[in-house]
Amino acid sequence: MNNLFCNRDMLESIAQKYPTPFYLYDEAGIETTACQVMEAFSWDKNHRQFFAVKATPTPEILKILQRMGHGVVCSSAVELRVAKAAGFAPGEILFSPNFPNRQDIEMAAEMGVSVVLDGDYLTDDFAQYGLLKGTVGMRFNPGGEYYVNKNKVSAPGTTKFGFTRQQLLETGKKLKESGVSSFGLFGYMGGNIMETDYYKGLTRLLAETGRWVAEESGLELGYVNISGGVGIAYHPNETMPDVFAMASDVKAVMDEVFGAGERPAVYTELSRYVTGPHGLLVSRVIHEKSGYRQFVGLDASAHNLMRPMMYGAYHHISIVGKENEPCDHVYDVVGSVPEGIDRFAQNRPLPETHKGDLAVIHDCGAHGHSMGYNYGGKLRSAELLLTKDGSVRLIRRAETAEDYMATMV
Ligand SMILES: *Cc1c(COP(=O)(O)O)cnc(C)c1O
């Protein structure tokens, strides 16, 4: 749980100009974390970091990351357009789709970006569009269940992503025959992983598998892409993983597997880690209800933030101005979508809360606004940026009923 980066007076004055609910991002915080990621991996002169556009597809946020030296990774034609609108050059963009449609592939070809193959089912399509050039990425799925320090973190074998080990080699040989000279190996085992050794184990898996594919296929291993997946401290009892410690573990594994000379670059795609803690969903309490439970009704709903409803995820909630009061009341904090799952928190201890209070939901800076939807005639909120000079700027306006109606024939 990140500290509130603004106080009640500030939020009330912002709310006078931009009605709640709205997203508020902290430029200084994003810059700091984005910069730490680059510093942590600076031992690798070829390290590259690509932020996943799907986490926060807002050009003004992506531009902050670009200033810090990040590229972006996209999975669709629209995300590629967003990356372009934010000013990224083709060389700063990775296209890493799964089951993409024709328009997605055409846009990647038109922009001339680097690609990551999700399986051999894409090889011919990508070849036809001239996308198999430079260093071609391949996504590895080790199958089965994935453990870090004996804790199960995911079950990649049940997902739709990536190549099996044997398929990596078959496609590697095919790429080699078609004139490709180098490949990158990519792996993403799951999101919001809090095990501090996650990167260490994944680096070993990808480095050793990549070395084997290289030896057997004759391709050169250009990069090891350990992607994102690193979690953040959503709950006050959790601590933020330390990117410097993780990066030094990665270095140790790379040294051990490849020695100190010329070796594959390390790529990262940390996304939640970079922006997650630096975005708030700011809303107002508009109803109080008592029934089988005590309910606090916000003017934000599931359509503004899906994670609690989709994953049962914990997001910390502050009642602004009452941060130091005892949490001696217990509420369900809910929105207005007519579905039982529309609930930000269940049985949450909070200070006594009333209509008119501002409620802030923490750690919404990644996979927050971007997961929004329109079910129930709900409209996505505005996004605002608290800039380093302390001013507040609109970076995405709120949707209107006209936007919602615009596609109707
Ligand atoms: C979603 C996604 C990411 C982002 O990962 P985080 O868990 O937010 O760090 C990175 N790379 C790819 C290819 C993704 O699809």
Side-chain angles (χ1 to χ4, degrees):
M1 181 207 89
N2 202 44
N3 286 334
L4 273 183
F5 48 79
C6 41
N7 60 27
R8 181 175 170 179
D9 288 348
M10 240 177 108
L11 287 174
E12 285 292 3
S13 89
I14 298 169
Q16 280 182 4
K17 184 154 180 208
Y18 303 103
T20 54
F22 55 78
Y23 269 72
L24 182 65
Y25 300 91
D26 175 23
E27 181 178 37
I30 293 173
E31 265 198 24
T32 301
T33 310
C35 182
Q36 284 169 353
V37 167
M38 301 312 282
E39 258 179 65
F41 286 93
S42 59
W43 50 265
D44 177 8
K45 63 182 193 311
N46 297 314
H47 165 250
R48 300 186 69 187
Q49 149 70 17
F50 299 89
F51 181 83
V53 169
K54 74 169 189 284
T56 319
T58 304
E60 289 300 302
I61 300 291
L62 300 177
K63 282 180 189 171
I64 301 171
L65 302 172
Q66 189 184 33
R67 285 204 306 273
M68 300 295 113
H70 294 214
V72 282
V73 52
C74 301
S75 63
S76 66
V78 173
E79 286 186 354
L80 286 165
R81 282 186 60 172
V82 172
K84 195 173 171 185
F88 288 88
E92 300 172 307
I93 302 172
L94 267 186
F95 180 54
S96 185
N98 63 95
F99 301 95
N101 64 31
R102 189 66 41 196
Q103 291 93 311
D104 297 329
I105 299 171
E106 276 172 3
M107 181 61 77
E110 192 184 311
M111 288 172 59
V113 298
S114 291
V115 296
V116 178
L117 286 167
D118 174 54
D120 194 39
Y121 71 97
L122 288 173
T123 313
D124 290 345
D125 282 346
F126 279 15
Q128 188 193 329
Y129 281 92
L131 283 164
L132 299 182
K133 57 180 167 33
T135 301
V136 176
M138 288 194 281
R139 180 170 189 155
F140 180 36
N141 183 332
E145 295 180 335
Y146 196 76
Y147 290 80
V148 181
N149 297 331
K150 302 209 167 81
N151 298 318
K152 181 180 154 184
V153 296
S154 61
T158 64
T159 66
K160 62 177 175 168
F161 302 107
F163 290 87
T164 68
R165 193 175 144 85
Q166 201 54 40
Q167 288 170 339
L168 286 175
L169 182 54
E170 286 157 19
T171 299
K173 286 177 174 166
K174 215 158 129 182
L175 291 175
K176 176 75 184 171
E177 276 162 29
S178 70
V180 171
S181 62
S182 75
F183 76 108
L185 196 60
F186 167 85
Y188 181 96
M189 296 305 132
N192 199 33
I193 296 173
M194 295 302 280
E195 297 288 336
T196 48
D197 285 345
Y198 170 63
Y199 258 4
K200 190 178 176 180
L202 182 62
T203 305
R204 179 174 298 284
L205 176 71
L206 295 180
E208 288 178 347
T209 308
R211 190 174 59 183
W212 171 74
V213 173
E215 282 166 5
E216 298 289 319
S217 68
L219 286 173
E220 188 187 321
L221 179 58
Y223 66 77
V224 168
N225 185 342
I226 54 179
S227 191
V230 174
I232 60 172
Y234 284 103
H235 195 280
N237 290 344
E238 293 174 318
T239 41
M240 204 45 197
D242 176 359
V243 72
F244 290 94
M246 291 187 296
S248 91
D249 287 345
V250 172
K251 178 178 188 305
V253 175
M254 292 297 284
D255 288 350
E256 191 192 319
V257 178
F258 298 107
E262 275 300 301
R263 65 185 192 192
V266 171
Y267 285 8
T268 54
E269 299 177 347
L270 291 163
S271 305
R272 183 193 312 274
Y273 187 86
V274 175
T275 58
H278 307 300
L280 304 172
L281 172 54
V282 181
S283 70
R284 197 174 294 280
V285 176
I286 55 172
H287 298 290
E288 300 169 47
K289 176 180 175 179
S290 69
Y292 298 106
R293 292 182 177 180
Q294 287 294 117
F295 297 98
V296 164
L298 305 184
D299 57 7
S301 305
H303 70 288
N304 298 115
L305 177 70
M306 278 297 283
R307 297 191 69 261
M309 300 75 189
M310 240 165 114
Y311 312 120
Y314 182 95
H315 275 263
H316 201 68
I317 299 175
S318 294
I319 305 301
V320 181
K322 298 184 177 177
E323 294 87 349
N324 298 321
E325 291 180 21
C327 293
D328 53 2
H329 288 62
V330 174
Y331 300 106
D332 275 21
V333 181
V334 302
S336 60
V337 176
E339 272 203 289
I341 60 157
D342 181 16
R343 181 161 55 193
F344 293 108
Q346 282 198 66
N347 295 321
R348 177 74 57 92
L350 285 172
E352 183 172 349
T353 301
H354 292 295
K355 226 152 94 167
D357 285 341
L358 282 174
V360 161
I361 304 178
H362 293 247
D363 304 304
C364 297
H367 312 292
H369 189 280
S370 59
M371 274 192 194
Y373 64 106
N374 290 119
Y375 183 64
K378 298 295 171 188
L379 305 172
R380 276 172 286 246
S381 78
E383 294 183 295
L384 309 174
L385 182 67
L386 174 61
T387 63
K388 280 188 295 179
D389 65 21
S391 63
V392 170
R393 190 150 55 86
L394 182 70
I395 55 175
R396 183 192 296 273
R397 69 163 172 80
E399 283 178 345
T400 63
E402 286 66 38
D403 294 325
Y404 183 89
M405 305 282 287
T407 52
M408 297 178 185
V409 177

mmCIF file of all heavy atoms in Angstrom, residues 227-253:
data_model
loop_
_atom_site.group_PDB
_atom_site.id
_atom_site.type_symbol
_atom_site.label_atom_id
_atom_site.label_comp_id
_atom_site.label_asym_id
_atom_site.label_seq_id
_atom_site.Cartn_x
_atom_site.Cartn_y
_atom_site.Cartn_z
ATOM 1 N N SER A 227 10.518 -10.506 -18.617
ATOM 2 C CA SER A 227 9.210 -9.864 -18.604
ATOM 3 C C SER A 227 8.883 -9.158 -17.291
ATOM 4 O O SER A 227 9.768 -8.676 -16.597
ATOM 5 C CB SER A 227 8.122 -10.886 -18.961
ATOM 6 O OG SER A 227 6.912 -10.217 -19.188
ATOM 7 N N GLY A 228 7.561 -9.106 -16.991
ATOM 8 C CA GLY A 228 7.100 -8.468 -15.749
ATOM 9 C C GLY A 228 6.659 -9.550 -14.787
ATOM 10 O O GLY A 228 7.339 -10.545 -14.623
ATOM 11 N N GLY A 229 5.500 -9.343 -14.194
ATOM 12 C CA GLY A 229 4.974 -10.366 -13.292
ATOM 13 C C GLY A 229 5.334 -10.138 -11.841
ATOM 14 O O GLY A 229 4.778 -10.781 -10.956
ATOM 15 N N VAL A 230 6.266 -9.222 -11.591
ATOM 16 C CA VAL A 230 6.668 -8.947 -10.214
ATOM 17 C C VAL A 230 5.570 -8.132 -9.527
ATOM 18 O O VAL A 230 5.047 -7.172 -10.091
ATOM 19 C CB VAL A 230 8.012 -8.191 -10.181
ATOM 20 C CG1 VAL A 230 8.372 -7.771 -8.762
ATOM 21 C CG2 VAL A 230 9.106 -9.044 -10.801
ATOM 22 N N GLY A 231 5.223 -8.529 -8.327
ATOM 23 C CA GLY A 231 4.089 -7.922 -7.634
ATOM 24 C C GLY A 231 4.425 -6.647 -6.888
ATOM 25 O O GLY A 231 5.580 -6.197 -6.841
ATOM 26 N N ILE A 232 3.395 -6.050 -6.340
ATOM 27 C CA ILE A 232 3.550 -4.863 -5.486
ATOM 28 C C ILE A 232 2.798 -5.097 -4.175
ATOM 29 O O ILE A 232 1.961 -6.000 -4.081
ATOM 30 C CB ILE A 232 3.018 -3.573 -6.167
ATOM 31 C CG1 ILE A 232 1.522 -3.694 -6.507
ATOM 32 C CG2 ILE A 232 3.831 -3.273 -7.419
ATOM 33 C CD1 ILE A 232 0.898 -2.397 -7.008
ATOM 34 N N ALA A 233 3.092 -4.270 -3.196
ATOM 35 C CA ALA A 233 2.507 -4.449 -1.863
ATOM 36 C C ALA A 233 1.105 -3.833 -1.821
ATOM 37 O O ALA A 233 0.936 -2.700 -1.388
ATOM 38 C CB ALA A 233 3.415 -3.810 -0.822
ATOM 39 N N TYR A 234 0.107 -4.572 -2.248
ATOM 40 C CA TYR A 234 -1.261 -4.055 -2.180
ATOM 41 C C TYR A 234 -1.740 -3.967 -0.730
ATOM 42 O O TYR A 234 -2.511 -3.103 -0.363
ATOM 43 C CB TYR A 234 -2.218 -4.970 -2.962
ATOM 44 C CG TYR A 234 -2.129 -4.832 -4.467
ATOM 45 C CD1 TYR A 234 -1.463 -5.777 -5.240
ATOM 46 C CD2 TYR A 234 -2.712 -3.741 -5.118
ATOM 47 C CE1 TYR A 234 -1.395 -5.649 -6.624
ATOM 48 C CE2 TYR A 234 -2.639 -3.606 -6.491
ATOM 49 C CZ TYR A 234 -1.982 -4.562 -7.243
ATOM 50 O OH TYR A 234 -1.912 -4.433 -8.603
ATOM 51 N N HIS A 235 -1.307 -4.925 0.072
ATOM 52 C CA HIS A 235 -1.777 -4.993 1.465
ATOM 53 C C HIS A 235 -0.746 -4.347 2.381
ATOM 54 O O HIS A 235 0.461 -4.497 2.163
ATOM 55 C CB HIS A 235 -1.980 -6.463 1.844
ATOM 56 C CG HIS A 235 -2.788 -6.642 3.085
ATOM 57 N ND1 HIS A 235 -2.241 -6.501 4.350
ATOM 58 C CD2 HIS A 235 -4.103 -6.918 3.273
ATOM 59 C CE1 HIS A 235 -3.187 -6.697 5.240
ATOM 60 N NE2 HIS A 235 -4.327 -6.944 4.625
ATOM 61 N N PRO A 236 -1.208 -3.625 3.403
ATOM 62 C CA PRO A 236 -0.252 -2.960 4.294
ATOM 63 C C PRO A 236 0.742 -3.922 4.959
ATOM 64 O O PRO A 236 1.831 -3.505 5.358
ATOM 65 C CB PRO A 236 -1.137 -2.297 5.366
ATOM 66 C CG PRO A 236 -2.490 -2.233 4.785
ATOM 67 C CD PRO A 236 -2.613 -3.314 3.761
ATOM 68 N N ASN A 237 0.397 -5.202 5.064
ATOM 69 C CA ASN A 237 1.331 -6.172 5.661
ATOM 70 C C ASN A 237 2.414 -6.622 4.712
ATOM 71 O O ASN A 237 3.341 -7.305 5.119
ATOM 72 C CB ASN A 237 0.579 -7.445 6.090
ATOM 73 C CG ASN A 237 -0.302 -7.194 7.269
ATOM 74 O OD1 ASN A 237 -0.150 -6.185 7.949
ATOM 75 N ND2 ASN A 237 -1.231 -8.093 7.510
ATOM 76 N N GLU A 238 2.270 -6.301 3.432
ATOM 77 C CA GLU A 238 3.252 -6.773 2.458
ATOM 78 C C GLU A 238 4.353 -5.733 2.280
ATOM 79 O O GLU A 238 4.144 -4.553 2.548
ATOM 80 C CB GLU A 238 2.568 -7.013 1.101
ATOM 81 C CG GLU A 238 1.576 -8.163 1.142
ATOM 82 C CD GLU A 238 0.782 -8.300 -0.161
ATOM 83 O OE1 GLU A 238 0.349 -7.276 -0.730
ATOM 84 O OE2 GLU A 238 0.588 -9.442 -0.587
ATOM 85 N N THR A 239 5.519 -6.192 1.811
ATOM 86 C CA THR A 239 6.567 -5.228 1.465
ATOM 87 C C THR A 239 6.846 -5.316 -0.024
ATOM 88 O O THR A 239 6.799 -6.384 -0.628
ATOM 89 C CB THR A 239 7.888 -5.481 2.227
ATOM 90 O OG1 THR A 239 8.102 -6.883 2.263
ATOM 91 C CG2 THR A 239 7.843 -4.932 3.631
ATOM 92 N N MET A 240 7.149 -4.182 -0.582
ATOM 93 C CA MET A 240 7.431 -4.060 -2.004
ATOM 94 C C MET A 240 8.694 -4.868 -2.327
ATOM 95 O O MET A 240 9.714 -4.703 -1.652
ATOM 96 C CB MET A 240 7.657 -2.575 -2.211
ATOM 97 C CG MET A 240 7.472 -1.922 -3.513
ATOM 98 S SD MET A 240 6.072 -2.237 -4.524
ATOM 99 C CE MET A 240 6.737 -1.577 -6.052
ATOM 100 N N PRO A 241 8.662 -5.745 -3.344
ATOM 101 C CA PRO A 241 9.901 -6.407 -3.752
ATOM 102 C C PRO A 241 10.952 -5.350 -4.123
ATOM 103 O O PRO A 241 10.601 -4.258 -4.561
ATOM 104 C CB PRO A 241 9.479 -7.202 -4.996
ATOM 105 C CG PRO A 241 8.005 -7.348 -4.898
ATOM 106 C CD PRO A 241 7.511 -6.136 -4.163
ATOM 107 N N ASP A 242 12.215 -5.691 -3.921
ATOM 108 C CA ASP A 242 13.295 -4.737 -4.153
ATOM 109 C C ASP A 242 13.944 -5.022 -5.510
ATOM 110 O O ASP A 242 14.597 -6.050 -5.694
ATOM 111 C CB ASP A 242 14.315 -4.875 -3.017
ATOM 112 C CG ASP A 242 15.539 -3.993 -3.222
ATOM 113 O OD1 ASP A 242 15.609 -3.283 -4.254
ATOM 114 O OD2 ASP A 242 16.432 -4.028 -2.365
ATOM 115 N N VAL A 243 13.763 -4.106 -6.443
ATOM 116 C CA VAL A 243 14.245 -4.343 -7.807
ATOM 117 C C VAL A 243 15.776 -4.441 -7.863
ATOM 118 O O VAL A 243 16.339 -5.149 -8.696
ATOM 119 C CB VAL A 243 13.688 -3.291 -8.795
ATOM 120 C CG1 VAL A 243 14.322 -1.925 -8.589
ATOM 121 C CG2 VAL A 243 13.861 -3.751 -10.233
ATOM 122 N N PHE A 244 16.467 -3.762 -6.946
ATOM 123 C CA PHE A 244 17.935 -3.844 -6.948
ATOM 124 C C PHE A 244 18.403 -5.237 -6.545
ATOM 125 O O PHE A 244 19.312 -5.805 -7.150
ATOM 126 C CB PHE A 244 18.526 -2.765 -6.026
ATOM 127 C CG PHE A 244 18.364 -1.381 -6.575
ATOM 128 C CD1 PHE A 244 17.284 -0.592 -6.205
ATOM 129 C CD2 PHE A 244 19.275 -0.881 -7.504
ATOM 130 C CE1 PHE A 244 17.117 0.678 -6.740
ATOM 131 C CE2 PHE A 244 19.124 0.395 -8.040
ATOM 132 C CZ PHE A 244 18.037 1.175 -7.655
ATOM 133 N N ALA A 245 17.758 -5.799 -5.527
ATOM 134 C CA ALA A 245 18.117 -7.156 -5.093
ATOM 135 C C ALA A 245 17.786 -8.159 -6.198
ATOM 136 O O ALA A 245 18.577 -9.062 -6.495
ATOM 137 C CB ALA A 245 17.364 -7.502 -3.806
ATOM 138 N N MET A 246 16.619 -7.998 -6.831
ATOM 139 C CA MET A 246 16.226 -8.921 -7.898
ATOM 140 C C MET A 246 17.226 -8.846 -9.056
ATOM 141 O O MET A 246 17.641 -9.862 -9.602
ATOM 142 C CB MET A 246 14.818 -8.592 -8.403
ATOM 143 C CG MET A 246 13.734 -8.892 -7.368
ATOM 144 S SD MET A 246 12.073 -8.698 -8.041
ATOM 145 C CE MET A 246 12.022 -6.971 -8.430
ATOM 146 N N ALA A 247 17.601 -7.620 -9.417
ATOM 147 C CA ALA A 247 18.509 -7.436 -10.561
ATOM 148 C C ALA A 247 19.883 -8.022 -10.255
ATOM 149 O O ALA A 247 20.537 -8.556 -11.152
ATOM 150 C CB ALA A 247 18.626 -5.959 -10.905
ATOM 151 N N SER A 248 20.302 -7.956 -9.015
ATOM 152 C CA SER A 248 21.628 -8.510 -8.731
ATOM 153 C C SER A 248 21.580 -10.038 -8.729
ATOM 154 O O SER A 248 22.551 -10.687 -9.127
ATOM 155 C CB SER A 248 22.240 -7.889 -7.467
ATOM 156 O OG SER A 248 21.916 -8.631 -6.346
ATOM 157 N N ASP A 249 20.449 -10.620 -8.357
ATOM 158 C CA ASP A 249 20.274 -12.077 -8.522
ATOM 159 C C ASP A 249 20.323 -12.469 -9.998
ATOM 160 O O ASP A 249 20.910 -13.487 -10.366
ATOM 161 C CB ASP A 249 18.912 -12.525 -7.967
ATOM 162 C CG ASP A 249 18.870 -12.519 -6.457
ATOM 163 O OD1 ASP A 249 19.951 -12.455 -5.828
ATOM 164 O OD2 ASP A 249 17.758 -12.575 -5.894
ATOM 165 N N VAL A 250 19.673 -11.661 -10.829
ATOM 166 C CA VAL A 250 19.661 -11.942 -12.270
ATOM 167 C C VAL A 250 21.088 -11.906 -12.808
ATOM 168 O O VAL A 250 21.512 -12.771 -13.574
ATOM 169 C CB VAL A 250 18.762 -10.931 -13.026
ATOM 170 C CG1 VAL A 250 18.901 -11.091 -14.543
ATOM 171 C CG2 VAL A 250 17.305 -11.097 -12.610
ATOM 172 N N LYS A 251 21.845 -10.922 -12.363
ATOM 173 C CA LYS A 251 23.246 -10.806 -12.806
ATOM 174 C C LYS A 251 24.034 -12.055 -12.427
ATOM 175 O O LYS A 251 24.779 -12.613 -13.246
ATOM 176 C CB LYS A 251 23.900 -9.564 -12.190
ATOM 177 C CG LYS A 251 25.364 -9.419 -12.585
ATOM 178 C CD LYS A 251 25.962 -8.140 -11.983
ATOM 179 C CE LYS A 251 27.356 -7.861 -12.510
ATOM 180 N NZ LYS A 251 28.306 -8.973 -12.333
ATOM 181 N N ALA A 252 23.844 -12.509 -11.189
ATOM 182 C CA ALA A 252 24.592 -13.685 -10.723
ATOM 183 C C ALA A 252 24.279 -14.904 -11.595
ATOM 184 O O ALA A 252 25.181 -15.662 -11.964
ATOM 185 C CB ALA A 252 24.253 -13.962 -9.255
ATOM 186 N N VAL A 253 23.020 -15.079 -11.948
ATOM 187 C CA VAL A 253 22.644 -16.229 -12.785
ATOM 188 C C VAL A 253 23.230 -16.077 -14.184
ATOM 189 O O VAL A 253 23.775 -17.032 -14.753
ATOM 190 C CB VAL A 253 21.104 -16.387 -12.849
ATOM 191 C CG1 VAL A 253 20.723 -17.501 -13.815
ATOM 192 C CG2 VAL A 253 20.525 -16.655 -11.472
#
